[in-house]
């Protein structure tokens, strides 16, 4: 009963009625219009719908997200629509990938805007593709996703989890010990539920793409993994749902991330293969920015801390001393934008008034070089 009631058909014409959070109770009858985005909160109706798509001969692309959608997410959906007749997008803020001290509660939640963006994109896709439209949003409850035990984010972790070692313990996994366990677990659940032909992930989270490929290979999942390029702001900052935490001052300094990576990439482009030679250029850019900021007064500066610069093998994400030109490498980094010490009257501040530390990640693939 509950699952049947939770299956909403949201028509383009009255999407303004969608509540700020997807509700579990039925307050109005489901209505079906010629073109609609279905919203599923529970698993059985989605499964039933998926079966029908199979019978109709549709192909299904799947884009998992945490919500707070931006242009980067929409590009994944466009890519999915280009090679599948239907696309499902999940919006689920998965608790098990956030550590107990991390920003789950303050993570931006923008349900209304997310749905409006998907609706606008769907209309665009209908115009440009004819087919390949956004079929449904899967926004499950946590009870549906974790049916037998509450989601546990502690490091020992009580419950049913997928762990990929050592891959999931490196880099992002070293800083966020439960992150990839949560990601791999929720993706396994989502892939089992949605049964997509293809899944779409962003290069922006490069280690996540390696984890997902490994998950699909090691557990023989019947889906193809597609990785789409990182979408960036005009100054080079990789788009991220977390960027809204940065006001003008921190936002300006955050370009250091992509600038540092580009400097290191240039070294590779000039034929450098030694780790030290490549990463030194990234560190130079970062250190210069740290010093520039430290020289400013409290009301002018934005502090940054580098978590890591990494030069890693593209399949294992293990650090390499020398890049094998035939394999290439992944150049990646994480920095923390520190909370502002002092804010000025009238200053443009981010969500949380720039009191929240913001961890940013970025990467560049050093492409394999063909022997000349
Ligand atoms: P998230 O909601 O942050 O979990 O992201 C959902 C998907 O969007 C992941 O596959 C991300 O890698 C991808 N994504 C996030 N930001 C970008 C971006 N700037 N460019 C391309 N893909 C992105």
């Amino acid at each position: 009963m509950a699952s049947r009631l939770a299956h909403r058909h949201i028509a383009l014409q009255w999407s303004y009625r969608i509540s700020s959070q997807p509700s579990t109770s039925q307050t109005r009858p489901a209505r079906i219009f010629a073109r609609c985005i279905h919203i599923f909160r529970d698993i059985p109706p989605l499964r039933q719908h998926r079966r029908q798509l199979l019978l109709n001969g549709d192909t299904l692309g799947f884009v998992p997200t945490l919500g707070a959608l931006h242009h980067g997410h929409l590009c994944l959906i466009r890519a999915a629509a280009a090679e599948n007749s239907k696309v499902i997008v999940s919006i689920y803020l998965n608790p098990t990938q956030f550590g107990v001290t991390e920003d789950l509660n303050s993570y931006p939640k923008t349900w209304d805007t997310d749905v409006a963006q998907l609706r606008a994109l769907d209309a665009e896709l209908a115009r440009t593709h004819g087919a390949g439209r956004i079929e449904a949003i899967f926004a499950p409850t946590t009870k549906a996703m974790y049916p037998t035990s509450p989601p546990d984010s502690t490091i020992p972790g009580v419950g049913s989890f997928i762990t990929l070692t050592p891959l999931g313990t490196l880099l992002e996994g070293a800083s966020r010990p439960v992150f990839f366990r949560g990601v791999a677990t929720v993706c396994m659940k989502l892939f089992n539920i949605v049964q997509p032909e293809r899944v779409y992930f962003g290069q922006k989270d490069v280690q996540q793409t390696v984890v997902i490929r490994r998950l699909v290979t090691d557990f023989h999942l019947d889906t193809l993994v597609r990785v789409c390029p990182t979408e960036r702001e005009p100054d080079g900052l990789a788009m991220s749902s977390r960027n809204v935490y940065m006001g003008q001052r921190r936002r300006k300094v955050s370009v250091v991330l992509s600038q540092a990576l580009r400097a290191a990439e240039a070294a590779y482009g000039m034929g450098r293969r030694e780790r030290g030679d490549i990463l030194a250029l990234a560190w130079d850019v970062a250190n210069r920015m740290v010093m520039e900021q430290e020289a400013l007064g409290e009301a002018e500066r934005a502090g940054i801390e580098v978590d890591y610069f990494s030069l890693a093998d593209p399949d294992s994400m293990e650090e390499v001393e020398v890049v094998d030109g035939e394999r290439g490498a992944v150049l990646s980094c994480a920095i923390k934008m520190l909370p502002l010490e002092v804010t000025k009257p009238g200053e443009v501040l981010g969500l949380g008034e720039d009191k929240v530390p913001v961890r940013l990640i970025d990467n560049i693939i050093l492409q394999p070089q063909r022997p000349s």
Side-chain angles (χ1 to χ4, degrees):
M1 178 69 168
S3 61
R4 183 169 60 79
L5 295 180
H7 176 192
R8 298 285 171 81
H9 300 269
I10 301 301
L12 298 174
Q13 292 88 329
W14 51 286
S15 62
Y16 63 90
R17 291 198 203 164
I18 296 166
S19 62
S20 59
Q21 286 298 312
S23 102
T24 45
S25 65
Q26 178 76 325
T27 51
R28 69 179 86 87
R31 296 172 64 183
I32 308 172
F33 289 77
R35 289 178 36 225
C36 65
I37 299 179
H38 305 277
I39 297 189
F40 295 99
R41 291 278 286 160
D42 213 343
I43 295 162
L46 173 59
R47 284 220 158 113
Q48 198 182 335
H49 193 86
R50 204 291 169 239
R51 266 195 297 276
Q52 195 53 52
L53 294 179
L54 190 66
L55 291 174
N56 295 349
D58 281 306
T59 56
L60 184 59
F62 176 51
V63 182
T65 81
L66 300 176
L69 302 184
H70 54 69
H71 176 73
H73 297 116
L74 301 188
C75 286
L76 299 187
I77 299 168
R78 281 199 184 88
E83 55 178 358
N84 301 277
S85 58
K86 303 286 181 196
V87 179
I88 291 184
V89 179
S90 66
I91 296 182
Y92 179 58
L93 196 51
N94 172 40
T96 61
Q97 68 193 67
F98 289 80
V100 285
T101 59
E102 290 181 41
D103 56 351
L104 173 65
N105 289 329
S106 65
Y107 196 88
K109 294 165 197 79
T110 55
W111 173 255
D112 285 339
T113 329
D114 290 351
V115 175
Q117 288 191 79
L118 294 176
R119 196 165 59 86
L121 177 57
D122 187 52
E124 176 201 308
L125 292 171
R127 278 196 306 275
T128 54
H129 286 63
R133 291 191 308 99
I134 303 169
E135 180 67 7
I137 302 169
F138 182 42
T141 61
T142 287
K143 182 68 192 149
M145 290 300 280
Y146 293 87
T148 53
S149 51
D152 187 358
S153 287
T154 63
I155 292 175
V158 176
S160 309
F161 293 111
I162 307 275
T163 53
L164 306 176
T165 56
L167 176 57
T169 65
L170 307 171
L171 296 168
E172 285 304 288
S175 301
R176 306 180 65 192
V178 301
F179 178 63
F180 287 117
R181 182 183 73 188
V183 167
T185 300
V186 81
C187 284
M188 176 68 108
K189 289 168 186 268
L190 290 168
F191 296 175
N192 280 334
I193 295 163
V194 176
Q195 303 272 318
E197 263 87 25
R198 299 177 189 87
V199 292
Y200 294 80
F201 287 85
Q203 183 66 57
K204 147 90 174 26
D205 300 283
V206 66
Q207 193 178 2
Q208 176 168 276
T209 67
V210 179
V211 162
I212 297 300
R213 285 192 199 284
R214 183 73 63 82
L215 179 78
V216 165
T217 303
D218 283 354
F219 291 91
H220 310 283
L221 303 183
D222 191 13
T223 192
L224 295 170
V225 180
R226 300 286 200 238
V227 176
C228 302
T230 302
E231 296 296 319
R232 297 177 181 280
E233 302 290 353
D235 65 1
L237 177 69
M239 291 178 180
S240 163
S241 307
R242 290 193 168 89
N243 292 353
V244 294
Y245 290 116
M246 292 188 287
Q248 219 166 42
R249 201 185 328 165
R250 290 202 294 178
R251 172 66 187 79
K252 216 167 134 193
V253 171
S254 67
V255 294
V256 68
L257 199 63
S258 59
Q259 286 175 348
L261 289 175
R262 278 211 305 274
E265 180 191 34
Y268 180 72
M270 288 185 308
R272 301 282 167 79
R273 295 292 178 266
E274 299 279 335
R275 174 186 187 79
D277 291 345
I278 295 172
L279 291 187
L281 281 120
W283 277 106
D284 282 351
V285 172
N287 288 337
R288 210 175 317 126
M289 181 65 93
V290 170
M291 284 191 302
E292 268 172 37
Q293 293 300 307
E294 280 175 354
L296 299 172
E298 283 183 335
E300 305 297 331
R301 68 187 171 210
I304 59 173
E305 265 175 23
V306 176
D307 187 352
Y308 62 77
F309 281 111
S310 158
L311 186 66
D313 178 86
D315 292 330
S316 67
M317 295 304 282
E318 303 268 7
E319 297 300 309
V320 295
E321 286 306 315
V322 179
V323 180
D324 176 342
E326 287 179 23
R327 289 178 63 72
V330 177
L331 184 59
S332 65
C333 67
I335 66 167
K336 196 195 277 180
M337 301 295 310
L338 302 176
L340 294 184
E341 296 151 277
V342 176
T343 57
K344 290 180 289 190
E347 186 170 6
V348 179
L349 298 176
L351 193 70
E353 307 200 319
D354 278 275
K355 290 184 186 132
V356 186
V358 184
R359 194 163 177 285
L360 301 173
I361 59 171
D362 199 354
N363 69 86
I364 290 179
I365 306 293
L366 302 182
Q367 297 295 343
Q369 306 286 309
R370 288 215 182 89
S372 49

